[in-house]
Amino acid sequence: MKKTIVFVLTIFILFSGFAPQSYALSDSQSEAIHGLLDDARRISGVPGMSISIVADDEVFYFSSGYADREKGLSASENTLYELASVSKAFTGMGILLLEEQGLLSMTDPIQKYLPWFTLKYQGKPVDMQSLTLNNFLHHTSGLTNFRHTQNIPQGNTSDLLQKTVEMLVNAELAFPPGEQYNYGTVNYDVLGLVIEIVSGQSYEDFMREQVFQPLGLHQTYVYREDAQATGQLAQGYRSSFFMTTPYNAPEYAGNKPAGYIISCTKDMARWMGIQMGIVQDIPEIFHTVVEKSHQGDMSVSAVNDMYYAAGWSVNADQTIIEHPGGNPNFATEVAILPNERTAVCLLTNGANTNRSMVLQVKDILDGNLTQSYEISGTQLLDIILSSTTIILCLLAILLFLLGLRRRKTNERQPMTKKSIIVTVIFLIATIVLCIVCSAFDWSTILIWQTYSVLIALISSALLTASITWFVYTHR
């Protein structure tokens, strides 16, 4: 999906000739955006969606559905959502601010600040003096999502950031540091801990006092309790078996620098305006920091023609600045086109959202009013697995009942060689599926994935067991 977003954004820019466009939003455009949001909410099952648009120095807000469906609380530009990985741009801003203040350098080795932090590659210790803060900023450290996110500790105590980074000590890297760009959310947790060490403050207090308040982001929070106290915090939801239900995902306070800042589309509009230089009433130092934060690391190969900057994915000439985000019960997307002075932020309280709808909003801004929402890959997977589960369970029940009927009506005869082979094959298949079902840490997987993943595996095992029984009874 990310590749599609980047490709389409590139096409937009190429055909616009890099010329700023004027968006005096018409009634028909407003209706089209409202219609797209309503369709997206209806098709995806996600209860609430909010969008902010910065276009040619103007700001527009659109919302659909509910921040809390059960309480009847409508979504609005003031509704607070978890930003998921869109949080990284704020952490990137924070650590680059410390550099601009002369308190650190991004070329410093990580052990200057975390002397106890060690890593391995192919079983051998990594030279930690060669592993710099830039490696974590640009996801070139060797810490990746595939290998290093499964054991992030749950909880919301003040020591969780320290524990999250300690969890990575002596971790086996996916590749030598600096060799490639491979996204790993925990890289920004390491940076969050460095912010604490250098500033002498908690990550939360530093971000609130040194970043959010000076930038005028008064509805952006790092403490969930503060967000809840406003009465505007959206309830998160998840979908399984064609149903969307409230879901209170576990808290990962130690992953906050990477994925758990909370904000609303009103503050995000100001944040996007800051990125584009439209908002000027901020301390002078931040203008330099913003410029630095958009500089991708071109010392490594691009991924889908995009480089990683400081919490942003950017193309070579910085005409596309974007970042998606996904938590167990929230989905987000920010796309900024500086040369067109246009930016779109999408915040929703369900993981089923197809985040590429930000491109459809851009289409509407360009006058293409007819847009059709398409289901996300997450929702499609759940539909496929849920449908598969129903079919497999019905077949398993049918074969079990037919086997019972055979056993009651047929005289027992010696099994043929063919029956023995087929029975053994399906018995082995049943055992293998049972082993697969028990091999994974489902407590973590089911937080992030639809429940239908596990149930589809269980129903497959039931079906092979029923086939084994059915063949065995045919004597």
Side-chain angles (χ1 to χ4, degrees), residues 374-391:
E374 297 181 0
I375 65 173
S376 66
T378 302
Q379 184 177 5
L380 180 61
L381 177 65
D382 181 59
I383 291 172
I384 292 172
L385 292 177
S386 299
S387 301
T388 300
T389 296
I390 293 170
I391 293 170

Side-chain angles (χ1 to χ4, degrees), residues 61-76:
Y61 302 110
F62 298 89
S63 290
S64 179
Y66 297 97
D68 190 317
R69 185 181 59 194
E70 286 64 37
K71 294 181 179 178
L73 180 63
S74 297
S76 73

Side-chain angles (χ1 to χ4, degrees), residues 335-385:
I336 302 172
L337 307 176
N339 286 10
E340 297 190 47
R341 297 176 70 81
T342 304
V344 182
C345 172
L346 168 68
L347 304 180
T348 78
N349 58 356
N352 263 10
T353 311
N354 185 342
R355 294 168 297 200
S356 66
M357 64 185 290
V358 296
L359 304 179
Q360 295 175 291
V361 172
K362 179 62 170 59
D363 260 335
I364 293 171
L365 294 177
D366 290 337
N368 304 314
L369 302 184
T370 304
Q371 300 295 323
S372 299
Y373 177 82
E374 297 181 0
I375 65 173
S376 66
T378 302
Q379 184 177 5
L380 180 61
L381 177 65
D382 181 59
I383 291 172
I384 292 172
L385 292 177

Side-chain angles (χ1 to χ4, degrees), residues 47-61:
M49 297 183 177
S50 297
I51 281 180
S52 56
I53 300 169
V54 179
D56 212 23
D57 299 355
E58 294 187 76
V59 179
F60 307 95
Y61 302 110

